[in-house]
Amino acid sequence: MSKQNLDAEVLFSQDVTEKENVKQILNSNEDQVAHSYWNKCLQIIKDNVNTQVFKTWFEPITALKYTDNKLTVKVPSQFFCEWIEEHFYPLLQKTIFQVLGENAKLQYQVVVDENSDNLHSRMIKVPAFKYPPASNQIQLPFADMPSLPESFPTYLNPRYTFDNFVKGESNQLASSAALAVCKNPGTTRYNPLVLYSETGLGKTHLVQALGNAIVRRYKNLRVLYTTSERFTMEFVNSIQNNKQNEFTNFYRSIDVLIVEDIQFFSGKEKTQDNFFHTFNALHQAGKQLVLTSDKPPKELVDVDERLLSRFHWGLIADIQPPDYEMRMAILKKKSEDEGIELPPEIVDYIARHVKNNVRELEGTLVRLIAKYTFDNREMNLDLAKEVVFGITNFEPKQLTVDDIKEMVSKYFKVPEELIVSKTRKHEVALARQMAMYLTKQFTQLSLKTIGSHFGNRDHSTVLHSCQMIDNYLVTDRSVKQSYENLVQKIKHE
Ligand code: ADP
Ligand code: MG
């Protein structure tokens, strides 16, 4: 992976000097301490997540060192550490505090290039952090916040940029509008800019990219990224602490206000009332508002009509799930950014099977890379299938075609004699095709040999059967479910 691919918040390892290098070797004791601390953490984590999650996300992490109350761990990619931060932050934080005390810090080191001779040139360090902090009142000693431009806390995450956002038909309007806004905040027709979509389709990415671009372009503008929940919490706090004036003044001093997930304003009348007035004041002063929601504004319930009607002053744009071509483009871009070139058939396989949203696509890719990097697996279709269907640790060689026949026969309640017979009855044919498919996937046998185990069929019949199942996996939920159940059984065999 090349260094220019990495985001700005990442500290490069050049700052690890030779001296430190030597010191590090002398301090192998510290490494042992780190191992034992991390093992304790793993014990706790193991009790709090399911086995699958533990294997995918925590087992690949290894401890590197422990100094100054800071535990450094190695993770396979930047993606990986962002993913665990996003999904397991509270658990990690609690665990680290429990094992190392409340002032402890966690730092990730990302493996950049396993093949490099120089240990340090293949590592980058990423402090554990989270944007925005859970509450403005709790400052997390855990989080090493990277320094932000000016002293104004924007709560933007610099990882989101327009450069690493893939534009396509499904987000055309939303992304063009966001770009237009970042060039001329407050003065375009897109004020407010309201983006809506189902989860995982890029709302957060786009509005953060917009905020980051404005901060970079207009150094003197105050950009604030927040969520409706955070706004609500701060509002309630301000009432409790008699700080309503400060609250109001603060929000009115902002030039670009980004508020995510406005659906959570639903039913919170007082907060909405305050937000409505903030909205008006900012809009009148020519300040930019950017909002996101998980549904079209007209479907928001218990949200002030006055506020909803204001949205039509600007632009309401939706983001649709990505189509096949865009899923391919996203996978290519993200794997390139990770410094890994995926064979086209793998990109195609994932793009055909992981369809709901970009977050899932990303998750699949992270798991694929983790397995490739840490388990030394070959990058091939079988690995992709395993990752897509969430299977781990099976031993392909130990399984025989007879095991599979038996399992499939029991599962579909079709006698084994029928599976290898000439019968074309649908249930029997399906069981047969499934058994061939699984044999192909979980054994090393050739199509020809597989055919010989299924009533002396020839290799093209086996191939056809496998293609049938491949199609079913995309088009037929119940077949997909059967496949997944069988794979689970194989895994536990
Ligand atoms: P939402 O806020 O709509 O739930 P996010 O912005 O959090 O979705 O997106 C989920 C993940 O997918 C993020 O990691 C984001 O970077 C990524 N993502 C979404 N859309 C795109 C895209 N068009 N190009 C690149 N990455 C994307
Ligand atoms: Mg979001």
Side-chain angles (χ1 to χ4, degrees), residues 320-377:
Q320 291 294 322
D323 57 19
Y324 168 78
E325 286 74 16
M326 189 156 158
R327 296 198 294 275
M328 295 272 283
I330 289 172
L331 285 167
K332 281 194 188 141
K333 170 97 180 109
K334 294 204 184 266
S335 52
E336 268 168 36
D337 287 353
E338 288 292 301
I340 285 178
E341 202 181 315
L342 291 182
E345 70 269 19
I346 292 191
V347 179
D348 167 73
Y349 185 84
I350 300 177
R352 274 192 295 120
H353 289 85
V354 183
K355 303 201 278 195
N356 293 343
N357 64 50
V358 185
R359 188 173 291 129
E360 281 175 21
L361 265 186
E362 240 179 33
T364 308
L365 190 62
V366 174
R367 290 198 301 275
L368 187 77
I369 293 174
K371 277 178 175 291
Y372 171 68
T373 318
F374 278 118
D375 299 351
N376 270 334
R377 298 284 303 272

Side-chain angles (χ1 to χ4, degrees), residues 24 27-43 61-74 96 99-100 105-107:
Q24 213 175 347
N27 287 349
S28 61
N29 227 351
E30 283 170 6
D31 302 354
Q32 278 167 14
V33 174
H35 276 292
S36 100
Y37 276 144
W38 181 241
N39 279 339
K40 280 193 190 134
C41 292
L42 285 179
Q43 294 298 322
I61 304 178
T62 49
L64 286 174
K65 64 173 179 202
Y66 176 72
T67 39
D68 303 331
N69 216 8
K70 186 192 276 181
L71 179 64
T72 306
V73 293
K74 186 172 107 177
I96 293 286
V99 174
L100 296 166
K105 290 194 167 98
L106 180 70
Q107 175 163 276

